[in-house]
Amino acid sequence: WRKWWEYVKSSQMKDLIQSTSAHKSSHIIVFGGTSGLGLALALHHQALGWQVSVVGHSMEKIDNTNSQHPNSITYCCDLTDNAQTQSLLESLSNISFQRVIYSAGSYTNERVHHLSQADSDQMLAINLQAFEQVFRWASEQLRRQSCALDFNENSSLSLICIASIAGTMDYPYASLYAKSKRAMIANASAYRAALAPYDIQVNCIASGYIDTQALRDLNNGDASHKPFIIKTQTAVEKIMQAIDKDIELAIFPRSMGYIIRALNHLPKPLLNWILRSKLDKTT
C-alpha cells in the first residue's frame, strides 16, 4: 500500500485534489475498507480531501490502517453478526456522511471446493444479508439528510456497492457467490429508483478480476493467470469515473463484459450445459 499511497500523492493527483476542493467537508464510510479495493477507494477519497471512516473485521488490518493512515477513522465489526452490525450502525447514525461504499465480500471457490455450512453462512451473511442491512440503514440516514439540505447539496449524496461481473450472468448453475452478487445488483437498482426523488445517487460496480492480495492468496500467491485481470489502481479509476458519470451498473473490463453479454444471449439449456461442464468438481 505504500506504492499506492505514493501514487495518490503524486503530482497528477495534486492537480485533481485542487480541482475537487468542494469535497473537503465530505465524509465517506467504506464497509470492507481495511484492505483490497475497499482500502484503495478509501485512500483515493482521502487524497481528494474527504473525511474517511472504514469498517473491517480484522483487528490486525485495523491496527495496520491506524498505523499507516492515522487520519482515517476505523471501526471493528463482524458483519456476519447481525446484532454487532446493528450496534455499529446505531453508533454511526450520530455522525453526518455523504457517501457509503459497501465493499465487504466473501468468496469460496465452488468450482474446486464443495460448499461447507460455514462457507455458505459466511457468503450469505456478508454478500447479501449484511449488505441489505447496511443499505437499508444508509438510505434512511441519507434521506433524512436530503430533506434537511438544499438541492445543490443533496446531489452529492450517494450509495455505492461493489458486486461482481459474475452477478451479471443469468443461468441456473450459478454459484452462491454469483447468485448473491446478482441479488446485490437487483437490490441496488431498486434503491436507485426509490431514492431518485431524494436526489440520492446509487451505483453498483460489477468488475472482473482485480489483482488484490485476497485474490492472490486464493491462487497460491499469483493471480496473473486470471483472464482480463486489472490492477487495483485501474479499478479505482474506473469506479470513480462510474460514480462521476452516475452509471447505474458499471461493468468492466469492457472485453469481459462483451463476453458475458454474448453468453447471456445463448439459449439457457446450452449455457447451462457449457458452464456445468466447466464448473463440475473433480474432487
Side-chain angles (χ1 to χ4, degrees):
W1 291 108
R2 186 175 300 169
K3 291 182 178 179
W4 170 254
W5 190 236
E6 290 173 353
Y7 165 77
V8 297
K9 293 194 296 184
S10 66
S11 57
Q12 290 180 327
M13 288 300 296
K14 288 179 181 177
D15 294 337
L16 184 58
I17 293 169
Q18 292 174 356
S19 66
T20 54
S21 57
H23 290 311
K24 284 187 176 179
S25 60
S26 298
H27 184 192
I28 181 174
I29 303 175
V30 183
F31 289 81
T34 56
S35 62
L37 181 60
L39 177 58
L41 286 166
L43 294 180
H44 185 89
H45 280 80
Q46 192 171 76
L48 294 177
W50 288 67
Q51 180 185 352
V52 172
S53 294
V54 296
V55 178
H57 73 281
S58 167
M59 278 307 305
E60 180 181 354
K61 292 179 180 178
I62 287 177
D63 290 341
N64 186 57
T65 301
N66 289 335
S67 174
Q68 295 192 26
H69 314 289
N71 291 330
S72 299
I73 302 171
T74 56
Y75 299 90
C76 184
C77 179
D78 180 1
L79 293 175
T80 65
D81 186 324
N82 179 71
Q84 192 176 140
T85 303
Q86 189 58 40
S87 177
L88 170 68
L89 297 180
E90 288 174 1
S91 66
L92 291 175
S93 297
N94 297 320
I95 64 177
S96 175
F97 56 88
Q98 289 68 46
R99 176 171 293 172
V100 168
I101 294 181
Y102 191 88
S103 185
S106 176
Y107 173 76
T108 295
N109 190 344
E110 295 173 60
R111 301 182 183 188
V112 178
H113 305 289
H114 288 278
L115 194 63
S116 69
Q117 291 180 351
D119 291 336
S120 175
D121 290 345
Q122 180 164 310
M123 279 202 287
L124 184 64
I126 296 178
N127 297 341
L128 191 57
Q129 294 170 334
F131 156 72
E132 291 174 339
Q133 189 177 5
V134 169
F135 248 54
R136 178 175 180 176
W137 163 81
S139 67
E140 291 172 353
Q141 297 300 312
L142 291 178
R143 275 183 293 180
R144 292 195 188 106
Q145 290 194 54
S146 176
C147 293
L149 299 173
D150 61 38
F151 178 79
N152 290 330
E153 287 177 313
N154 322 350
S155 60
S156 66
L157 302 179
S158 55
L159 266 173
I160 319 295
C161 62
I162 308 299
S164 168
I165 202 166
T168 65
M169 290 193 68
D170 182 16
Y171 64 103
Y173 197 59
S175 65
L176 171 58
Y177 177 81
K179 287 180 182 293
S180 64
K181 292 299 186 178
R182 187 168 182 80
M184 179 183 285
I185 292 170
N187 269 270
S189 181
Y191 271 102
R192 182 180 174 91
L195 298 180
Y198 295 89
D199 297 300
I200 298 172
Q201 178 179 327
V202 181
N203 308 104
C204 185
I205 309 300
S207 70
Y209 294 110
I210 300 173
D211 191 15
T212 62
Q213 185 60 51
L215 183 63
R216 292 191 292 272
D217 290 343
L218 287 169
N219 290 273
N220 299 315
D222 182 14
S224 59
H225 62 285
K226 292 296 184 180
F228 309 109
I229 190 168
I230 61 175
K231 295 181 178 180
T232 304
Q233 294 93 323
T234 303
V236 169
E237 292 168 5
K238 290 187 177 296
I239 291 170
M240 295 306 297
Q241 289 171 5
I243 295 173
D244 291 341
K245 295 179 180 178
D246 192 17
I247 298 174
E248 178 176 354
L249 178 61
I251 301 174
F252 61 86
R254 188 175 301 175
S255 52
M256 198 167 185
Y258 289 150
I259 293 174
I260 298 296
R261 187 180 303 175
L263 289 172
N264 280 333
H265 279 87
L266 292 175
K268 287 295 185 293
L270 176 58
L271 177 61
N272 195 38
W273 177 82
I274 293 172
L275 293 174
R276 181 178 286 272
S277 66
K278 293 292 185 183
L279 302 184
D280 270 342
K281 304 168 185 65
T282 57
T283 59

